[in-house]
Amino acid sequence: MLIAAVGNCPLVGRAAGGGLVPPNRKRTRRSSAMPIVTIQQGPRDTELKRDLVRRVTDAFVDAYRIPAETVQVWIHEVPADSWGAAGTLTADR
């Protein structure tokens, strides 16, 4: 299971179009705050995570026309015995 949440840092206010704005910047149509993508998933192989980080970064570069260096991808791996769905631990499936 893959859940992604996207935010900008620091969290201060919303710009027109939904982006977040740092405290010392005017609210404009395009926010220059760095996007942070958080992915929560079960453990995966390092090579798969490399590919995921590359693809997510490329998607943000294409969509927002920003430099790849501004995109951060955080992967939080949760063991199967630490999350569940429909009343059942994932480890018990």
Side-chain angles (χ1 to χ4, degrees):
M1 176 181 226
L2 176 77
I3 300 172
V6 179
N8 290 310
C9 185
L11 302 177
V12 175
R14 293 226 174 251
L20 297 174
V21 180
N24 59 349
R25 300 231 177 149
K26 292 182 189 176
R27 293 174 186 226
T28 62
R29 294 203 93 192
R30 288 180 69 156
S31 174
S32 60
M34 108 179 52
I36 299 171
V37 182
T38 303
I39 299 168
Q40 295 180 341
Q41 65 179 23
R44 298 286 195 282
D45 177 85
T46 301
E47 194 57 41
L48 289 174
K49 291 186 283 189
R50 279 189 189 104
D51 187 49
L52 177 63
V53 169
R54 181 186 54 77
R55 289 175 183 232
V56 168
T57 300
D58 289 348
F60 272 77
V61 168
D62 291 344
Y64 289 159
R65 295 186 174 109
I66 57 175
E69 296 76 26
T70 65
V71 180
Q72 292 188 28
V73 179
W74 299 353
I75 299 174
H76 296 273
E77 293 185 317
V78 181
D81 65 351
S82 295
W83 66 287
T88 305
L89 274 178
T90 304
D92 295 339
R93 290 182 178 191

